[in-house]
Amino acid sequence: MIKSILIINNHGKPRLTKFYEYMNVDKQQQIIRDLFLLVSKRADGACNFLEVGPNDNIFDKDTKVIYRHYATLFFVFCVDSAESELSIIDLIQTFVESLDKCFENVCELDLIFHIDKVHYILDEMVMGGLVIENNSTVIVSNYEVQNRIEKSENPIMSVLSGIKK
Amino acid sequence: MSTPNPNIAKTSMRGLTNFISDLRNAPSKENEEKRVTKEMAHIRKEFKENKNIDGYARRKYVCKLIYMYMLGYELDFGHMEAVTLLSSTKFSEKQIGYISIAILLHEQHEMLPLIINSFKEDLLARNDYFQSLALAAICNIGGKEVAEFLSPLIQKLLIANTSSPMVKKRAALAILRMNRKNIGFVTPDQWVERLVSVLDDSDFGVLNSLMSLLIELASENPIGWESAIPKVIQLLKKIAINKEFPKEYTYYHIACPWLQVKLLKFLRYFPPPEDSQGGQVLNEILNAIFSQSESAKAGTVNHKNSLNAVLFEAINLIIHLDSDPTLLKQTSSLLGRFITVKETNIRYLGLATMSHFANLSNETSIMIKKYQDTVLLSLKDADISIRRRALDLLYGMCDKNTCKHIVAELLSYLQTADYAIREELVIKIANLAEKFASNYSWYVDVILQLITTAGDFVSDDIWFRVVKIVTNHEDIQAYAASTVFTALQSRNCHETLIKVGGYILGEFGHLIADSPQSSPLIQFNILHSKYGTCSPSTKALLLSTYAKFVNLFPELTQPTQEVFKQHSNYIDAEIQQRACEYLNLTSLNEDLMQTVLDVIPAFSEKDNSNNNNINSSNGNSQDPRVSSGSGYHTPPPQQQYQQPVQQQQSNNNLQDLLDPFGLGLGGSPQPAQQQVAQYQQPQQQIVMQPQQIQQQQSPQEVQSPFGSGTHNFSPSSPNGPSSPINSGGAIDPLQLKILISFKRLCLASEGVLYEDNMLQVGLKSEYQGSQGRLMLYYGNSSAFPLTNFNVTFNSVSGVQLQPQSIAPVIQPKAQIQQPVTFSCTSEFTETPTVVINFLTPGKPITIHLKLPIIMSKFFDPLKLNSGDFFAKWKTISGKPLEIQEVFKPTKPVDINQFTKVLSDGLNITVLKGVDPNPNNIVAACLYPFGSNGQPIQCYIRIESNPQANMCRVTIRTQSAVLTNTLKSLLIAHLQ
């Protein structure tokens, strides 16, 4: 099971945080900080898996950190031993590709200003720490349908985007 | 990747964008906080006062709240608005509502019951998107109630032909999640047929989710789910051999890697297929997967990744099946290739998998021997993840023939290894050295090298073990003595080396005393030259060594007695006491001295249980007789070393004494400082020793129902070598009081933990989920300030304590508080402890207390009806999962009292009406944090016979540890 999904930028600022186990805000922030320290100091060629040591106060013992670094962002997934490491690596890739398609060439600012949308996309992919879909075509098409519904419900916006087109 | 997409920016909410820009532009954290506070006040006001707030504004505000929450700002409002949004009929409002409750609420949240009905309405709505949102929310935060209320509906959604794939795949995961919260609700007899029928679905997304569900169910208990196997194999064949799959599920030229991984993984929970046909098909599939491995050498990173994901899963399955020799051979060479490739990820997984492979059988471990050099090379990799795996693998690869080479490599690696891995490395080297030692002199060399290179990481267990082995093997004693003697010559000795050196020279120094280079005086001088910089416990140990010297070398009487005299007023009580005792012992009576200070006899082989200590990587003692808290490891050296003194006093009882206490190594330590005030007359100690021996012979009597840990409290603990004489072996009243307080607090959430005429320690506790919080209150009841006040918390495996720091002084009649938070991550058998140290005018005080943090504090209720209970009860039997024990209560049996203790004190659900006999109790509880991360259900039956005043408890759980702990708990509190 996936315990948390985080996107953290090169300066340690969270850009997306999603915890699938409840924990209070302070604990969440501590985990974000600690994880950032762990992944940010690793070399580029180092492997994408990190074992949580007994002294790291990050979830429980049965936790593996799987991350990828894209330009200014770290995508950090904490998972338990039931997950296949390489599948999670692929899942991160799927997530990035989906974001890229939805935002047409995604950048950090897109994530910052469209936090709601990032969550919608994530929810198409993972829920309750379990993977629903790894096919980015399906993820993106669901997202687009929802976007259209939203626009039809908010006519002002659809007019605006109509003008743009 | 620089500018946000203008197209999307247009469609979003301007207020939100502005707010986020403000926060981003905030020049400092303070400015950001100010902006957040202002915005929160604004939103709070809007929510409270603006009756006509529209959906758009509500959405905007909730988005802002989510953003602030992400940045780490606590939210104490806005939940209601999220719920309002969620019950809207507009999709856009509903969607943000669902997103925000998934972020802000959790399964125990008080608001959750309010939205169960909204979940239901959305599940019933004929709208895929509404249904999907509700299912996702259930999956994210649904608890037990949600599971009970909505499971039939969700089951229908999974099976119904009318459900779209998008709904079905979410329904499968929602069921998985509900099953986790309400273990056992998905039973094979009711579900297997339906779930297997879903395997015919043509949508690969649905199959993927369904496989997640089936894997979860099989991992809980594979029995009953076998009928899915043929279809799973069929599906694999379709994908891997026939290449029939939807094109859109090709990921970087690999056919649906995720689904393949899951299908393969599912099969790992079952024995190899019995029918030869199934086995043959499976072999074909695995061969087909292997045949693609060549293409993993080329292609993009993503292509290689997903291909290897499938390969590794196939390898895991082959290791599990352990049947086809050709496949095993291929696996071996494939793994051999993996550990040399450039991609670190693959190297990492290759090493990890090779570890499993090596442990499979003799044949497999021989197969990978040839990769030893590569693995040794990986030990020097730049990446710690790789180094860890390599170390693990080497440890598994080691055998009689290779151990010397591997240990030598590990030792040389130790010199440069970083701190993160040193402790593990030291334990592993010590283990290997002992396990494969063909001669013990090599072993002694290895351990000494360990101490020299990484002394800080050599736990007491390890050096106790050397001492014991040397004592038990006459042939190496002289060698050991001369080796430590040489090692001690070095100017910078690690303190552990001084301890080992002190001990070994004290016992066996005479074996090398004939040589002029290591004459008695030189031995003494070299040890004493280190004395000044040692910690008190080592000093105490050295004093004992000197006493031993006196016995063997009369010429040392004068210099050693000098030392004893210097210390007869020493500030540390233990040292002072020893100095006084030894001074008297060495000057009073030669016969007594000779008896007392004779060479230590060989340790009983039964003490080998201590071997486990070294073997268990956390270094925690596994001997139940040894103290429960790892924090008690501090004083053992002196005790351990003092042992000979005591044993000689009672030579006849030697064996008896050794065993009941597990003396020897890491033996029950004892808070030395508590004896401070009591110790005044050293002579008395010696004169009255026979009495002490008497005490020692009845150790079991002072054992409390809590077994292991109790003697920690007892300053009169009979194991203490220098323990002052206490009247007749009874427990000190203060200690009894501590015990009673502890026991009471095991059942209650607040009360007094400790009280004497100086200090009162009160405690309040609260538990929620895996989190617990203690508030400790230290009250000074004396007339003077308590200074240097310091509390040390000793966590145990499974419960990590995080205390806040406190002020070092408590003024008279004042009280200070200390919050301690902790979380429970697995079963735990030991009890966390605290050591309170402080100074009163004139003397230091040390108090050792156990904290009433026991497993039952984390129990969740478990309501079962009679049928369910017995169905589950019957699935477990036999030791160690089942334990039955008869006990005799000290008071007449009172079933109502028992019920009260169980339900109010121990959080165990008493199930009424399950057992028709009114004298019996049937109960159950749920321990949410098993070591595999799964909750464990516990079933309890207590039968009583009021006439005979006897009771019998029977406990059945899926965890031997839990069963045993539960038994001790129940007996302790019901007796």
Side-chain angles (χ1 to χ4, degrees), chain B residues 146-191:
Chain B
V146 177
E148 277 161 17
F149 188 65
L150 296 175
S151 59
L153 203 55
I154 298 173
Q155 189 186 346
K156 249 184 235 147
L157 287 177
L158 172 62
I159 295 159
N161 290 327
T162 48
S163 303
S164 70
M166 148 177 197
V167 171
K168 276 189 180 177
K169 60 192 182 194
R170 285 178 169 80
L173 297 183
I175 290 169
L176 192 167
R177 161 82 184 199
M178 288 190 293
N179 189 54
R180 250 182 219 173
K181 294 290 148 191
N182 196 357
I183 293 277
F185 116 89
V186 183
T187 51
D189 44 336
Q190 287 175 15
W191 286 77

Coordinates of all heavy atoms in Angstrom, one line a residue, chain B residues 146-191:
Chain B
V146 N -18.7 2.7 8.2 CA -19.0 2.9 6.8 C -19.0 1.5 6.1 O -19.9 1.2 5.3 CB -17.9 3.7 6.1 CG1 -18.1 3.8 4.6 CG2 -17.9 5.1 6.7
A147 N -18.1 0.6 6.6 CA -18.0 -0.7 6.0 C -19.3 -1.5 6.3 O -19.9 -2.1 5.4 CB -16.8 -1.5 6.6
E148 N -19.8 -1.4 7.5 CA -21.0 -2.1 7.9 C -22.2 -1.6 7.1 O -23.0 -2.4 6.7 CB -21.2 -2.0 9.4 CG -20.4 -3.0 10.2 CD -20.2 -2.6 11.7 OE1 -21.0 -1.8 12.1 OE2 -19.3 -3.2 12.3
F149 N -22.2 -0.3 7.0 CA -23.4 0.3 6.4 C -23.5 0.1 4.9 O -24.6 -0.1 4.3 CB -23.4 1.8 6.8 CG -24.7 2.5 6.5 CD1 -25.9 2.2 7.1 CD2 -24.6 3.6 5.6 CE1 -27.0 2.9 6.8 CE2 -25.8 4.3 5.3 CZ -27.0 3.9 5.9
L150 N -22.3 0.2 4.2 CA -22.4 0.4 2.8 C -21.9 -0.8 2.0 O -21.9 -0.9 0.8 CB -21.6 1.6 2.4 CG -22.1 2.9 2.8 CD1 -21.2 4.1 2.5 CD2 -23.5 3.2 2.2
S151 N -21.3 -1.8 2.7 CA -20.7 -2.9 2.0 C -21.6 -3.6 1.0 O -21.2 -4.0 -0.1 CB -20.0 -3.9 2.9 OG -20.9 -4.4 3.8
P152 N -22.9 -3.9 1.3 CA -23.7 -4.6 0.4 C -23.8 -3.8 -0.9 O -23.8 -4.4 -2.0 CB -25.1 -4.7 1.1 CG -24.8 -4.5 2.5 CD -23.6 -3.6 2.6
L153 N -24.0 -2.5 -0.8 CA -24.1 -1.7 -1.9 C -22.9 -1.7 -2.8 O -23.0 -1.8 -4.1 CB -24.4 -0.2 -1.4 CG -25.1 0.7 -2.3 CD1 -26.4 0.2 -2.7 CD2 -25.3 2.0 -1.5
I154 N -21.8 -1.7 -2.2 CA -20.5 -1.6 -2.9 C -20.3 -2.9 -3.6 O -19.8 -3.0 -4.8 CB -19.3 -1.2 -2.0 CG1 -19.6 0.2 -1.4 CG2 -18.0 -1.3 -2.8 CD1 -18.6 0.6 -0.4
Q155 N -20.6 -4.0 -2.9 CA -20.5 -5.3 -3.5 C -21.3 -5.4 -4.8 O -20.8 -5.9 -5.8 CB -20.9 -6.4 -2.5 CG -20.6 -7.8 -3.0 CD -21.2 -8.8 -2.0 OE1 -21.7 -8.5 -0.9 NE2 -21.3 -10.0 -2.5
K156 N -22.5 -4.8 -4.8 CA -23.4 -4.9 -5.9 C -22.7 -4.1 -7.1 O -22.8 -4.5 -8.2 CB -24.7 -4.2 -5.6 CG -25.8 -5.3 -5.6 CD -27.2 -4.6 -5.3 CE -27.9 -5.2 -4.2 NZ -28.7 -4.3 -3.4
L157 N -22.1 -3.0 -6.7 CA -21.5 -2.1 -7.8 C -20.4 -2.9 -8.5 O -20.2 -2.7 -9.7 CB -21.0 -0.8 -7.2 CG -22.0 0.2 -6.8 CD1 -21.3 1.4 -6.2 CD2 -22.8 0.7 -8.0
L158 N -19.7 -3.7 -7.7 CA -18.6 -4.4 -8.3 C -19.1 -5.5 -9.3 O -18.5 -5.7 -10.3 CB -17.7 -5.1 -7.2 CG -16.6 -6.0 -7.7 CD1 -15.6 -5.3 -8.5 CD2 -15.9 -6.7 -6.5
I159 N -20.2 -6.1 -8.9 CA -20.6 -7.3 -9.7 C -21.6 -7.0 -10.8 O -21.6 -7.6 -11.9 CB -21.2 -8.3 -8.7 CG1 -20.2 -8.8 -7.7 CG2 -21.8 -9.5 -9.4 CD1 -20.7 -9.4 -6.5
A160 N -22.4 -5.9 -10.6 CA -23.4 -5.6 -11.5 C -22.9 -5.4 -13.0 O -21.8 -4.7 -13.1 CB -24.2 -4.3 -11.1
N161 N -23.6 -5.9 -13.9 CA -23.2 -5.7 -15.3 C -23.3 -4.2 -15.8 O -22.7 -3.8 -16.7 CB -24.0 -6.6 -16.3 CG -23.6 -8.0 -16.1 OD1 -22.5 -8.3 -15.8 ND2 -24.6 -8.9 -16.2
T162 N -24.2 -3.5 -15.1 CA -24.5 -2.2 -15.5 C -23.4 -1.2 -15.0 O -23.3 -0.1 -15.5 CB -25.8 -1.7 -14.9 OG1 -25.8 -2.0 -13.5 CG2 -27.0 -2.3 -15.5
S163 N -22.6 -1.6 -14.1 CA -21.5 -0.7 -13.6 C -20.5 -0.5 -14.7 O -20.1 -1.5 -15.4 CB -20.8 -1.3 -12.4 OG -21.7 -1.5 -11.4
S164 N -20.0 0.7 -14.8 CA -19.0 1.0 -15.8 C -17.6 0.5 -15.2 O -17.5 0.4 -14.0 CB -18.9 2.5 -16.1 OG -18.4 3.1 -15.0
P165 N -16.6 0.3 -16.0 CA -15.3 -0.1 -15.5 C -14.8 0.8 -14.5 O -14.2 0.4 -13.5 CB -14.4 -0.1 -16.8 CG -15.3 -0.2 -17.9 CD -16.7 0.3 -17.5
M166 N -15.0 2.1 -14.7 CA -14.5 3.1 -13.8 C -15.1 2.9 -12.4 O -14.4 3.1 -11.4 CB -14.9 4.5 -14.4 CG -15.2 5.6 -13.6 SD -15.5 7.0 -14.7 CE -15.3 8.2 -13.5
V167 N -16.3 2.5 -12.3 CA -17.0 2.3 -11.0 C -16.5 1.0 -10.4 O -16.1 0.8 -9.3 CB -18.5 2.3 -11.1 CG1 -19.1 1.8 -9.8 CG2 -18.9 3.7 -11.5
K168 N -16.4 -0.1 -11.3 CA -16.0 -1.4 -10.8 C -14.7 -1.4 -10.2 O -14.5 -2.0 -9.2 CB -16.0 -2.4 -12.0 CG -17.4 -3.0 -12.3 CD -17.2 -4.1 -13.3 CE -18.5 -4.7 -13.7 NZ -18.4 -5.7 -14.7
K169 N -13.7 -0.7 -10.9 CA -12.4 -0.8 -10.3 C -12.3 -0.1 -9.0 O -11.6 -0.5 -8.1 CB -11.3 -0.4 -11.3 CG -11.4 1.0 -11.8 CD -10.5 1.3 -12.9 CE -10.6 2.7 -13.4 NZ -10.0 2.9 -14.7
R170 N -13.1 0.9 -8.8 CA -13.1 1.6 -7.5 C -13.8 0.8 -6.5 O -13.4 0.8 -5.3 CB -13.7 3.0 -7.6 CG -12.8 4.0 -8.3 CD -13.5 5.3 -8.5 NE -12.5 6.3 -8.9 CZ -12.1 6.5 -10.2 NH1 -12.6 5.7 -11.1 NH2 -11.3 7.5 -10.5
A171 N -14.8 0.1 -6.9 CA -15.6 -0.7 -5.9 C -14.7 -1.8 -5.4 O -14.7 -2.1 -4.2 CB -16.8 -1.3 -6.6
A172 N -13.9 -2.4 -6.3 CA -13.0 -3.5 -5.8 C -12.0 -3.0 -4.7 O -11.8 -3.6 -3.7 CB -12.2 -4.1 -7.0
L173 N -11.5 -1.8 -5.0 CA -10.5 -1.3 -4.0 C -11.3 -0.8 -2.7 O -10.7 -1.0 -1.6 CB -9.8 -0.1 -4.6 CG -8.9 -0.5 -5.8 CD1 -8.1 0.8 -6.2 CD2 -7.9 -1.6 -5.4
A174 N -12.5 -0.3 -2.8 CA -13.2 0.1 -1.7 C -13.5 -1.2 -0.8 O -13.4 -1.1 0.4 CB -14.5 0.7 -2.0
I175 N -13.8 -2.3 -1.4 CA -14.0 -3.5 -0.7 C -12.7 -3.9 0.1 O -12.7 -4.3 1.2 CB -14.5 -4.7 -1.6 CG1 -15.9 -4.3 -2.0 CG2 -14.4 -6.0 -0.9 CD1 -16.4 -5.2 -3.1
L176 N -11.6 -3.8 -0.6 CA -10.3 -4.1 0.0 C -10.1 -3.2 1.2 O -9.8 -3.7 2.3 CB -9.2 -3.8 -1.0 CG -7.8 -4.3 -0.8 CD1 -7.0 -4.2 -2.1 CD2 -7.1 -3.6 0.3
R177 N -10.4 -2.0 1.1 CA -10.2 -1.1 2.2 C -11.1 -1.4 3.4 O -10.7 -1.4 4.5 CB -10.4 0.3 1.7 CG -10.7 1.4 2.7 CD -9.4 1.9 3.4 NE -9.8 2.8 4.4 CZ -8.9 3.7 4.9 NH1 -7.7 3.8 4.5 NH2 -9.3 4.5 5.9
M178 N -12.3 -1.7 3.0 CA -13.3 -2.0 4.1 C -12.9 -3.3 4.8 O -13.1 -3.5 6.0 CB -14.7 -2.1 3.6 CG -15.3 -0.8 3.2 SD -17.0 -0.9 2.8 CE -16.9 -1.8 1.3
N179 N -12.4 -4.3 4.0 CA -12.0 -5.5 4.6 C -10.8 -5.3 5.6 O -10.7 -5.9 6.6 CB -11.5 -6.5 3.5 CG -11.3 -7.9 4.1 OD1 -12.2 -8.4 4.7 ND2 -10.1 -8.4 3.8
R180 N -9.9 -4.3 5.3 CA -8.8 -4.0 6.1 C -9.3 -3.5 7.5 O -8.8 -3.7 8.5 CB -7.9 -3.0 5.5 CG -6.6 -3.5 5.1 CD -5.8 -2.5 4.5 NE -5.1 -3.1 3.4 CZ -4.3 -2.4 2.5 NH1 -4.2 -1.1 2.7 NH2 -3.7 -3.0 1.5
K181 N -10.4 -2.7 7.4 CA -10.9 -2.1 8.6 C -11.8 -3.0 9.4 O -12.0 -2.8 10.5 CB -11.8 -0.8 8.2 CG -11.0 0.3 7.6 CD -10.1 0.9 8.6 CE -8.8 1.4 7.9 NZ -7.8 1.8 8.9
N182 N -12.2 -4.0 8.7 CA -13.2 -4.9 9.4 C -12.8 -6.3 9.0 O -13.5 -7.0 8.3 CB -14.6 -4.6 8.8 CG -15.7 -5.2 9.7 OD1 -15.4 -5.9 10.7 ND2 -16.9 -4.9 9.3
I183 N -11.6 -6.7 9.4 CA -10.9 -7.9 8.9 C -11.9 -9.1 8.9 O -12.7 -9.3 9.9 CB -9.8 -8.3 9.9 CG1 -8.7 -7.2 9.7 CG2 -9.2 -9.7 9.6 CD1 -7.8 -7.5 8.6
G184 N -11.8 -9.8 7.9 CA -12.6 -11.0 7.8 C -14.0 -10.8 7.3 O -14.8 -11.8 7.3
F185 N -14.3 -9.6 6.9 CA -15.7 -9.5 6.4 C -15.9 -10.0 5.0 O -16.9 -10.5 4.6 CB -16.2 -8.0 6.6 CG -16.5 -7.2 5.4 CD1 -17.8 -7.3 4.9 CD2 -15.6 -6.4 4.8 CE1 -18.1 -6.5 3.7 CE2 -15.9 -5.7 3.7 CZ -17.1 -5.8 3.1
V186 N -14.8 -10.1 4.3 CA -14.9 -10.7 3.0 C -14.4 -12.2 3.2 O -13.2 -12.5 3.3 CB -13.9 -10.0 1.9 CG1 -14.1 -10.7 0.6 CG2 -14.3 -8.6 1.9
T187 N -15.4 -13.1 3.3 CA -15.0 -14.5 3.5 C -15.1 -15.2 2.2 O -16.0 -14.9 1.3 CB -16.0 -15.1 4.5 OG1 -17.3 -14.8 4.1 CG2 -15.8 -14.5 5.9
P188 N -14.3 -16.3 2.0 CA -14.3 -17.0 0.8 C -15.6 -17.6 0.4 O -16.1 -17.5 -0.7 CB -13.2 -18.1 1.0 CG -12.5 -17.7 2.2 CD -13.3 -16.8 3.0
D189 N -16.3 -18.2 1.4 CA -17.5 -18.9 1.1 C -18.6 -18.0 0.5 O -19.4 -18.4 -0.4 CB -18.1 -19.7 2.3 CG -18.0 -18.9 3.6 OD1 -17.2 -17.9 3.6 OD2 -18.8 -19.1 4.5
Q190 N -18.6 -16.7 0.9 CA -19.6 -15.8 0.3 C -19.1 -15.1 -0.9 O -19.9 -14.5 -1.7 CB -20.1 -14.8 1.4 CG -20.9 -15.4 2.5 CD -21.2 -14.4 3.6 OE1 -21.0 -13.2 3.4 NE2 -21.7 -14.9 4.7
W191 N -17.8 -14.9 -1.0 CA -17.3 -14.0 -2.0 C -16.6 -14.6 -3.2 O -16.5 -14.1 -4.3 CB -16.4 -13.0 -1.4 CG -17.1 -12.0 -0.5 CD1 -17.6 -12.1 0.7 CD2 -17.3 -10.6 -0.9 NE1 -18.1 -11.0 1.2 CE2 -18.0 -10.0 0.2 CE3 -17.0 -9.8 -2.0 CZ2 -18.4 -8.7 0.2 CZ3 -17.4 -8.5 -2.0 CH2 -18.1 -7.9 -0.9

